[in-house]
Amino acid sequence: MTVLTSIGKAASPGPRQLAGRRRPVRETVFLIALQFSLVIAIAFLAVLLAYVISKGWARLDPRLWENMPSIRRPENAGAQSAIVGTIYLMGLTALFVIPTGVLAAIYLEEYADRDKWYNRLLELNIQNLAGIPSIVYGILGLGIIARVIGLGFGLITGALTLALLVLPVVIISAREAIRAVPPSIREGSLALGATQWQTIYRQVLPSSIPGIATGSILALSRAIGEAAPLVMLGAATFVAFNPESLTDGFTALPLQIYNWIGQSRPEFGVLASSAIVVLLALLLVMNSVAILLRNRYQKRW
Amino acid sequence: MSEIGTSIPNVTVRGPEVPRNIQALDPVFNVSGLSVFYGDYAAVRGVDMVIGNREITAMIGPSGCGKSTVLRCFNRMNDLIPGARAAGKITYHGEDLYGDHVDPIEVRRRIGMVFQKPNPFPKSIYDNIAYGPRVNGRKKGMDGIVEEALTKAALWDEVKDKLKQNALSLSGGQQQRLCIARAIAVRPEVILMDEPCSALDPIATTKIEDLMQELSRDYTIVIVTHNMQQAARVSDRTAFFTAEVDDSGVRHGRLVEYDETSRIFTNPSDKRTEDYITGRFG
Ligand SMILES: Nc1ncnc2c1ncn2[C@@H]1O[C@H](COP(=O)(O)OP(=O)(O)OP(=O)(O)O)[C@@H](O)[C@H]1O
Ligand SMILES: [Mg+2]
């Protein structure tokens, strides 16, 4: 009301009617706070990047991906087994988590009756699972996948554990993508005599693939940086061979970095930094693919 | 709105160039005692009507009186709404539409639907038309089906050079005709239209109305419309619905009057119908 009356008083006939009020101090402060938090976030990232790149620069050369790790001779040490291990781990995790996550999301969005208590319970649990610390998943992998199921401590156990870790995130993002497909598309398809599965397979999924892909890639890039569950699984931090079968022992970049940082000789610190750069580069590539996908298939309705 | 009432004698009710013997009603749908519930709420109660073969039946009435609800019973689209339920009986060529043996998928294949807002799939024009036949298992002769459907929907000349283009690049009126073509492509027997012109300009509307006249030679058409001139212009029979408040203060949709369009618009037997079409409705 006060605003209204003050405008009423100020509204004298004249050319200045459209001039508007000056931006109130509160808004300016708010804007500065917003920009400030953005600057902090970006500055932090920039400093981190600058630090690891400058430190690791000396060892950012082919030796890093051509040679195997070595504890005795840092000048020849590489991270090939860790890079290969990370890539295998990613591929396998994706293989496990994407179909499972997408199918679960389809069930929850398209079939589940939200009035049923067990569906609501399921939904609630998925939200909660997304928040569980990764080390707990490591314990689960160790206890159930490695011991009870007996898959041992190889690549497949690592991938399954990471898949479980990011599954909730994949499900949640796939659900969002599926929900974004307008109901009118489903109705249009069903009205033509399509079955529910035909409607999902031919209309809903193709329309939500960009969203699903983006979400899955972002989830996988979380998995790629995880060390804790792998440590729990007893993944060796020093492996001088590339994994050749699903049950082979393996190492991954975060573990290799952790191992090198723990060494006393400064050369290993440099090596760790260069491995961090490689890890960040991998992450960056994955996220750019996600962004590309998202921009390329912008909403079309 | 009020000029509708006074100009009723001037409204062209189905031009004489299309002579029809409306009396000889050949029933396609026979609705008796239909009530539709959303959960516990009875949105529509006690509807009785017979829909004639190759006729255009219009459903008019104020907003919220249950026109869409009734229309969506005809192809069992209401099945898709959780909690929606139909009581009473609808027969389709004598067969109980809600019988246990009836497959809603098959019902929807025979009874097509066009929605209020054009809803083309985000695919090419060609694929939009071919979608229905494809999900129904047709593989061969698709080019012919597409051309035939688009021709019937009076869209072929406008799109024949850009069949591979995305359907969403068409104008609203073209999209709606595409949706009609898409419905035709599965060769249904009935086409249900829920306010098909409400998002269109007068020229596009005229085109769709002409198209409906054309299609009524081969198809039974049921159309919901808020445009009374449209109902008067295109339909053979008109059903007037309204919402009534019952003793406990709940609103239910009711079918007030159902008759030949010419009678509804010139000599309605119910006061409420007259009030509505002359614009005196509150
Ligand atoms: N999915 C639904 N769930 C619950 N109630 C509904 C649903 N759809 C419609 N209704 C209710 O049923 C009644 C009839 O709705 P309906 O959509 O059939 O009206 P209508 O005559 O088509 O109106 P309009 O002319 O505005 O389209 C309304 O009171 C509405 O609130
Ligand atoms: Mg409606």
Side-chain angles (χ1 to χ4, degrees):
Chain A
M1 277 325 283
T2 50
V3 177
L4 274 178
T5 48
S6 73
I7 288 176
K9 271 186 226 141
S12 58
R16 298 253 346 242
Q17 279 193 20
L18 294 176
R21 291 162 297 161
R22 272 178 306 132
R23 181 180 282 160
V25 180
R26 237 187 306 162
E27 277 193 38
T28 316
V29 169
F30 187 55
L31 201 66
I32 290 176
L34 289 178
Q35 286 163 347
F36 186 66
S37 12
L38 193 68
V39 166
I40 288 185
I42 290 180
F44 204 71
L45 192 68
V47 167
L48 187 81
L49 264 178
Y51 175 76
V52 288
I53 290 181
S54 68
K55 192 168 174 213
W57 189 251
R59 281 304 315 269
L60 263 180
D61 53 38
R63 273 180 294 173
L64 199 60
W65 47 87
E66 279 171 1
N67 295 355
M68 289 294 168
S70 151
I71 298 189
R72 257 169 271 133
R73 314 188 51 200
E75 64 279 10
N76 279 335
Q80 194 189 57
S81 56
I83 294 173
V84 171
T86 287
I87 291 172
Y88 282 0
L89 208 53
M90 268 319 87
L92 272 175
T93 306
L95 202 68
F96 294 138
V97 79
I98 292 174
T100 322
V102 172
L103 288 176
I106 290 176
Y107 170 76
L108 286 172
E109 280 303 312
E110 305 282 331
Y111 289 96
D113 179 355
R114 232 151 270 170
D115 292 338
K116 295 278 186 313
W117 64 269
Y118 47 83
N119 285 324
R120 283 210 304 271
L121 188 74
L122 214 63
E123 241 168 73
L124 193 71
N125 271 319
I126 289 169
Q127 306 282 348
N128 287 338
L129 281 178
I132 288 179
S134 56
I135 189 106
V136 178
Y137 282 95
I139 297 171
L140 184 82
L142 174 72
I144 309 234
I145 302 171
R147 298 244 168 87
V148 176
I149 302 181
L151 286 178
F153 297 91
L155 206 49
I156 189 164
T157 307
L160 279 173
T161 308
L162 288 183
L164 284 179
L165 171 71
V166 294
L167 184 61
V169 183
V170 172
I171 294 177
I172 289 168
S173 62
R175 284 185 69 180
E176 250 147 47
I178 289 170
R179 207 176 311 149
V181 178
S184 64
I185 297 291
R186 295 180 180 81
E187 287 202 323
S189 170
L190 292 165
L192 290 167
T195 62
Q196 190 169 11
W197 176 243
Q198 281 172 328
T199 301
I200 291 168
Y201 188 73
R202 293 178 182 231
Q203 299 291 352
V204 177
L205 276 186
S207 299
S208 49
I209 276 183
I212 292 176
T214 314
S216 306
I217 292 173
L218 293 179
L220 283 176
S221 56
R222 177 181 167 200
I224 204 177
E226 280 294 344
L230 299 179
V231 171
M232 272 316 288
L233 284 176
T237 49
F238 179 82
V239 174
F241 56 86
N242 294 334
E244 266 161 16
S245 82
L246 290 179
T247 46
D248 272 4
F250 68 100
T251 186
L253 274 171
L255 292 172
Q256 189 65 62
I257 292 164
Y258 173 73
N259 173 263
W260 275 335
I261 297 248
Q263 305 287 330
S264 53
R265 282 200 270 168
E267 293 93 326
F268 285 110
V270 175
L271 262 174
S273 293
S274 56
I276 290 174
V277 175
V278 172
L279 184 60
L280 286 178
L282 269 175
L283 273 171
L284 219 62
V285 169
M286 289 174 71
N287 288 6
S288 334
V289 171
I291 290 168
L292 262 177
L293 273 174
R294 190 161 48 200
N295 292 346
R296 190 155 167 178
Y297 299 95
Q298 279 293 351
K299 289 261 143 51
R300 288 162 300 178
W301 39 75
Chain B
M1 275 290 147
S2 64
E3 78 274 1
I4 297 168
T6 52
S7 66
I8 280 176
N10 302 331
V11 170
T12 38
V13 178
R14 197 100 199 185
E17 71 279 3
V18 201
R20 280 169 177 266
N21 184 359
I22 291 185
Q23 290 310 317
L25 193 145
D26 165 17
V28 172
F29 290 105
N30 203 327
V31 183
S32 55
L34 174 74
S35 299
V36 189
F37 298 85
Y38 292 109
D40 294 331
Y41 169 60
V44 191
R45 286 210 299 205
V47 174
D48 298 292
M49 64 197 289
V50 178
I51 293 191
N53 195 15
R54 299 192 187 178
E55 284 187 8
I56 301 180
T57 306
M59 306 211 279
I60 59 170
S63 189
C65 64
K67 307 177 296 291
S68 303
T69 301
V70 171
L71 189 76
R72 290 165 63 92
C73 286
F74 289 137
N75 67 342
R76 296 193 54 171
M77 281 305 269
N78 276 345
D79 291 17
L80 305 171
I81 299 172
R85 181 168 60 82
K89 194 160 187 179
I90 305 180
T91 59
Y92 175 65
H93 291 298
E95 196 176 344
D96 185 1
L97 203 57
Y98 282 81
D100 289 336
H101 63 289
V102 174
D103 179 7
I105 307 290
E106 190 55 34
V107 170
R108 293 185 202 124
R109 208 194 66 68
R110 306 253 190 111
I111 302 166
M113 189 163 209
V114 176
F115 298 85
Q116 176 168 1
K117 240 181 92 205
N119 59 347
F121 303 131
K123 298 173 180 259
S124 73
I125 294 170
Y126 185 99
D127 286 337
N128 261 275
I129 308 291
Y131 181 75
R134 278 185 187 142
V135 296
N136 288 297
R138 274 197 77 111
K139 296 204 171 63
K140 278 179 283 185
M142 206 54 86
D143 292 356
I145 294 176
V146 171
E147 179 170 351
E148 189 195 322
L150 285 170
T151 309
K152 275 193 184 163
L155 192 61
W156 176 249
D157 289 334
E158 286 160 70
V159 301
K160 61 171 184 264
D161 301 321
K162 45 179 183 180
L163 291 175
K164 292 276 164 267
Q165 206 169 308
N166 194 306
L168 293 166
S169 65
L170 297 173
S171 75
Q174 289 174 326
Q175 288 188 8
Q176 195 61 305
R177 274 178 286 149
L178 181 78
C179 291
I180 295 176
R182 191 172 74 182
I184 292 172
V186 287
R187 307 211 163 110
E189 292 150 30
V190 181
I191 303 175
L192 309 173
M193 301 186 179
D194 194 347
E195 301 183 43
C197 302
S198 65
L200 306 182
D201 69 70
I203 294 175
T205 301
T206 311
K207 280 197 178 153
I208 304 241
E209 287 179 7
D210 290 346
L211 178 57
M212 282 191 266
Q213 300 272 2
E214 194 59 36
L215 292 174
S216 69
R217 286 194 200 146
D218 303 318
Y219 301 93
T220 304
I221 296 176
V222 186
I223 173 183
V224 170
T225 178
H226 274 282
N227 179 336
M228 274 174 284
Q229 279 112 331
Q230 181 171 68
R233 273 193 303 264
V234 302
S235 71
D236 300 296
R237 283 173 208 276
T238 299
F240 171 63
F241 288 79
T242 194
E244 273 176 5
V245 181
D246 70 6
D247 299 338
S248 48
V250 186
R251 285 164 56 92
H252 304 285
R254 282 275 187 189
L255 173 61
V256 174
E257 192 171 354
Y258 177 48
D259 211 330
E260 285 166 31
T261 299
S262 53
R263 183 136 345 123
I264 292 272
F265 280 89
T266 52
N267 188 19
S269 59
D270 196 294
K271 179 78 169 60
R272 288 168 295 178
T273 315
E274 191 182 329
D275 286 352
Y276 185 73
I277 60 175
T278 55
R280 275 195 292 266
F281 185 83

